[in-house]
Coordinates of all heavy atoms in Angstrom, one line a residue:
G38 N 60.1 -81.4 -51.5 CA 59.0 -81.8 -50.5 C 57.6 -81.7 -51.0 O 56.7 -82.0 -50.2
R39 N 57.4 -81.3 -52.2 CA 55.9 -81.1 -52.7 C 55.8 -82.0 -54.0 O 56.7 -81.9 -54.9 CB 55.6 -79.6 -52.9 CG 55.6 -78.7 -51.7 CD 55.1 -77.4 -52.1 NE 55.0 -76.6 -50.9 CZ 54.6 -75.3 -50.9 NH1 54.0 -74.9 -52.0 NH2 54.7 -74.6 -49.8
P40 N 54.8 -82.6 -54.2 CA 54.5 -83.5 -55.3 C 54.3 -82.6 -56.6 O 53.7 -81.5 -56.5 CB 53.3 -84.3 -55.2 CG 52.5 -83.4 -54.1 CD 53.5 -82.7 -53.2
A41 N 54.9 -83.0 -57.7 CA 54.6 -82.3 -59.0 C 53.4 -82.8 -59.6 O 53.4 -83.9 -60.3 CB 55.8 -82.6 -59.7
A42 N 52.4 -81.9 -59.5 CA 51.2 -82.4 -60.1 C 51.1 -82.3 -61.5 O 50.4 -83.2 -62.1 CB 50.0 -81.4 -59.4
R43 N 51.8 -81.4 -62.1 CA 51.7 -81.3 -63.5 C 52.9 -81.7 -64.2 O 53.2 -81.7 -65.4 CB 51.4 -79.7 -64.0 CG 50.2 -79.3 -63.5 CD 49.9 -77.8 -63.9 NE 50.9 -76.9 -63.0 CZ 51.1 -75.6 -63.1 NH1 50.4 -75.0 -64.0 NH2 51.9 -75.0 -62.3
G44 N 53.8 -82.1 -63.6 CA 55.1 -82.7 -64.1 C 56.1 -81.8 -64.4 O 55.9 -80.4 -64.4
P45 N 57.3 -82.1 -64.8 CA 58.4 -81.2 -65.1 C 58.2 -80.4 -66.3 O 58.7 -79.3 -66.5 CB 59.6 -82.0 -65.2 CG 59.1 -83.4 -65.5 CD 57.7 -83.6 -64.9
A46 N 57.4 -80.9 -67.2 CA 57.0 -80.1 -68.4 C 55.8 -79.6 -68.4 O 55.1 -79.4 -69.5 CB 57.1 -81.0 -69.7
A47 N 55.2 -79.0 -67.3 CA 53.9 -78.5 -67.2 C 53.9 -77.1 -67.9 O 54.8 -76.4 -67.8 CB 53.6 -78.3 -65.7
E48 N 52.7 -76.8 -68.5 CA 52.6 -75.5 -69.1 C 52.4 -74.4 -68.3 O 51.5 -74.5 -67.4 CB 51.4 -75.8 -70.2 CG 51.2 -74.4 -71.1 CD 50.0 -74.7 -72.0 OE1 49.4 -75.6 -72.0 OE2 49.8 -73.6 -72.9
V49 N 53.1 -73.3 -68.5 CA 53.0 -72.1 -67.7 C 51.9 -71.2 -68.3 O 52.0 -71.1 -69.6 CB 54.3 -71.4 -67.5 CG1 54.3 -70.2 -66.6 CG2 55.4 -72.4 -66.9
P50 N 51.1 -70.4 -67.6 CA 50.1 -69.5 -68.2 C 50.9 -68.4 -69.0 O 51.9 -67.9 -68.4 CB 49.4 -69.0 -66.9 CG 49.6 -70.0 -65.8 CD 50.9 -70.7 -66.1
R51 N 50.2 -68.1 -70.0 CA 50.8 -67.2 -70.9 C 50.7 -65.7 -70.4 O 49.6 -65.5 -69.8 CB 50.2 -67.2 -72.4 CG 50.9 -66.4 -73.3 CD 50.4 -66.6 -74.7 NE 51.0 -65.9 -75.8 CZ 50.6 -65.9 -77.1 NH1 49.7 -66.7 -77.5 NH2 51.3 -65.3 -78.0
W52 N 51.8 -64.9 -70.6 CA 51.7 -63.5 -70.1 C 50.7 -62.7 -70.9 O 50.7 -62.8 -72.2 CB 53.0 -63.0 -70.1 CG 53.0 -61.5 -69.6 CD1 53.0 -61.0 -68.3 CD2 53.1 -60.3 -70.4 NE1 53.0 -59.6 -68.3 CE2 53.1 -59.3 -69.6 CE3 53.1 -60.1 -71.8 CZ2 53.1 -57.9 -70.0 CZ3 53.1 -58.9 -72.3 CH2 53.0 -57.8 -71.4
R53 N 49.9 -61.8 -70.3 CA 49.0 -61.0 -71.0 C 49.2 -59.5 -70.6 O 49.6 -59.2 -69.4 CB 47.5 -61.3 -70.7 CG 47.1 -62.7 -71.3 CD 45.7 -63.0 -71.0 NE 45.4 -64.3 -71.5 CZ 44.0 -64.7 -71.5 NH1 43.2 -64.1 -70.9 NH2 43.8 -66.0 -71.9
R54 N 49.1 -58.6 -71.5 CA 49.2 -57.1 -71.3 C 48.1 -56.6 -70.3 O 46.9 -56.8 -70.7 CB 49.4 -56.4 -72.5 CG 49.6 -54.8 -72.2 CD 49.6 -54.1 -73.7 NE 50.6 -54.6 -74.5 CZ 51.9 -54.3 -74.5 NH1 52.3 -53.4 -73.7 NH2 52.7 -54.8 -75.3
P55 N 48.4 -56.0 -69.4 CA 47.3 -55.3 -68.4 C 46.6 -54.3 -69.1 O 47.0 -53.6 -70.2 CB 48.2 -54.8 -67.2 CG 49.6 -54.4 -67.7 CD 49.8 -55.5 -68.7
P56 N 45.4 -54.1 -68.7 CA 44.6 -53.0 -69.3 C 45.1 -51.6 -69.2 O 45.8 -51.4 -68.0 CB 43.2 -53.2 -68.6 CG 43.6 -53.8 -67.3 CD 44.7 -54.8 -67.6
R57 N 44.9 -50.8 -70.1 CA 45.5 -49.4 -70.1 C 44.4 -48.3 -69.7 O 44.4 -47.3 -70.3 CB 46.2 -49.1 -71.4 CG 47.3 -50.0 -71.6 CD 48.0 -49.5 -72.9 NE 49.2 -50.2 -73.3 CZ 50.0 -50.1 -74.3 NH1 49.7 -49.1 -75.1 NH2 51.2 -50.8 -74.3
G58 N 43.6 -48.6 -68.9 CA 42.6 -47.7 -68.5 C 43.1 -46.5 -67.7 O 44.2 -46.6 -67.1
P59 N 42.4 -45.4 -67.6 CA 42.8 -44.2 -66.7 C 42.9 -44.7 -65.3 O 42.1 -45.3 -64.6 CB 41.9 -43.1 -67.0 CG 40.6 -43.9 -67.4 CD 41.1 -45.1 -68.1
R60 N 44.0 -44.3 -64.6 CA 44.3 -44.6 -63.3 C 43.8 -43.4 -62.3 O 43.8 -42.3 -62.8 CB 45.8 -45.0 -62.9 CG 46.2 -46.1 -63.8 CD 47.7 -46.4 -63.4 NE 47.7 -47.1 -62.0 CZ 47.6 -48.3 -61.7 NH1 47.2 -49.2 -62.8 NH2 47.6 -48.8 -60.5
P61 N 43.3 -43.7 -61.2 CA 42.8 -42.7 -60.3 C 44.1 -41.9 -59.8 O 45.2 -42.3 -59.9 CB 42.1 -43.4 -59.1 CG 42.8 -44.8 -59.2 CD 43.0 -45.2 -60.5
P62 N 43.8 -40.7 -59.2 CA 44.8 -39.8 -58.7 C 45.7 -40.5 -57.6 O 46.9 -40.4 -57.5 CB 44.2 -38.6 -58.2 CG 42.8 -38.5 -58.9 CD 42.5 -40.0 -59.1
G63 N 45.2 -41.3 -56.9 CA 45.9 -42.1 -55.8 C 46.9 -43.1 -56.3 O 47.6 -43.5 -55.5
G64 N 46.6 -43.5 -57.5 CA 47.5 -44.6 -58.0 C 46.9 -45.9 -57.8 O 47.6 -47.0 -58.4
R65 N 45.9 -46.1 -57.1 CA 45.3 -47.4 -56.9 C 44.0 -47.5 -57.7 O 43.3 -46.5 -57.8 CB 45.1 -47.7 -55.4 CG 46.5 -47.9 -54.8 CD 46.1 -48.2 -53.2 NE 45.4 -49.4 -53.0 CZ 45.0 -49.8 -52.0 NH1 45.1 -49.2 -50.9 NH2 44.3 -51.0 -51.8
R66 N 43.6 -48.7 -58.3 CA 42.3 -48.8 -58.9 C 41.3 -49.3 -57.8 O 41.5 -50.1 -57.0 CB 42.4 -50.0 -59.9 CG 43.3 -49.5 -61.1 CD 43.3 -50.7 -62.2 NE 44.1 -50.3 -63.3 CZ 43.8 -49.7 -64.3 NH1 42.6 -49.1 -64.3 NH2 44.6 -49.3 -65.2
R67 N 40.1 -48.6 -57.8 CA 39.0 -48.8 -56.9 C 38.0 -49.4 -57.6 O 37.5 -48.9 -58.7 CB 38.6 -47.5 -56.2 CG 39.8 -46.9 -55.4 CD 39.2 -45.6 -54.8 NE 40.2 -45.0 -53.9 CZ 40.0 -44.0 -53.2 NH1 38.8 -43.4 -53.2 NH2 40.9 -43.4 -52.5
T68 N 37.6 -50.6 -57.2 CA 36.4 -51.3 -57.8 C 35.2 -50.9 -57.0 O 35.2 -50.6 -55.8 CB 36.6 -52.7 -57.7 OG1 36.8 -53.2 -56.3 CG2 38.0 -53.2 -58.5
R69 N 34.2 -50.9 -57.7 CA 32.7 -50.7 -57.1 C 32.4 -51.7 -56.0 O 32.7 -52.9 -56.3 CB 31.6 -50.5 -58.1 CG 32.0 -49.4 -59.1 CD 30.8 -49.3 -60.1 NE 31.0 -48.2 -61.1 CZ 30.2 -48.0 -62.0 NH1 29.1 -48.6 -62.2 NH2 30.5 -46.9 -62.8
S70 N 31.9 -51.4 -55.0 CA 31.4 -52.3 -54.0 C 30.2 -53.1 -54.6 O 29.2 -52.4 -54.9 CB 31.1 -51.5 -52.7 OG 30.0 -50.6 -52.9
R71 N 30.2 -54.4 -54.5 CA 29.2 -55.3 -55.1 C 28.2 -55.6 -53.9 O 28.6 -56.0 -52.8 CB 29.7 -56.6 -55.5 CG 30.7 -56.2 -56.8 CD 31.2 -57.5 -57.3 NE 32.1 -57.4 -58.4 CZ 32.8 -58.3 -59.1 NH1 32.6 -59.6 -58.7 NH2 33.6 -58.0 -60.1
P72 N 27.0 -55.4 -54.1 CA 25.9 -55.7 -53.0 C 25.9 -57.1 -52.8 O 26.1 -58.0 -53.6 CB 24.6 -55.2 -53.6 CG 24.8 -55.1 -55.2 CD 26.2 -54.9 -55.4
S73 N 25.5 -57.5 -51.6 CA 25.3 -58.9 -51.2 C 24.1 -59.6 -51.9 O 23.2 -59.0 -52.1 CB 25.1 -59.0 -49.7 OG 24.9 -60.4 -49.2

Side-chain angles (χ1 to χ4, degrees):
R39 296 189 181 183
R43 293 177 291 178
E48 183 179 359
V49 180
R51 190 175 182 181
W52 178 83
R53 295 182 180 180
R54 184 182 300 275
R57 295 185 177 180
R60 301 188 68 86
R65 297 180 58 186
R66 295 183 180 275
R67 298 183 179 180
T68 58
R69 298 181 180 178
S70 59
R71 299 180 179 179
S73 176

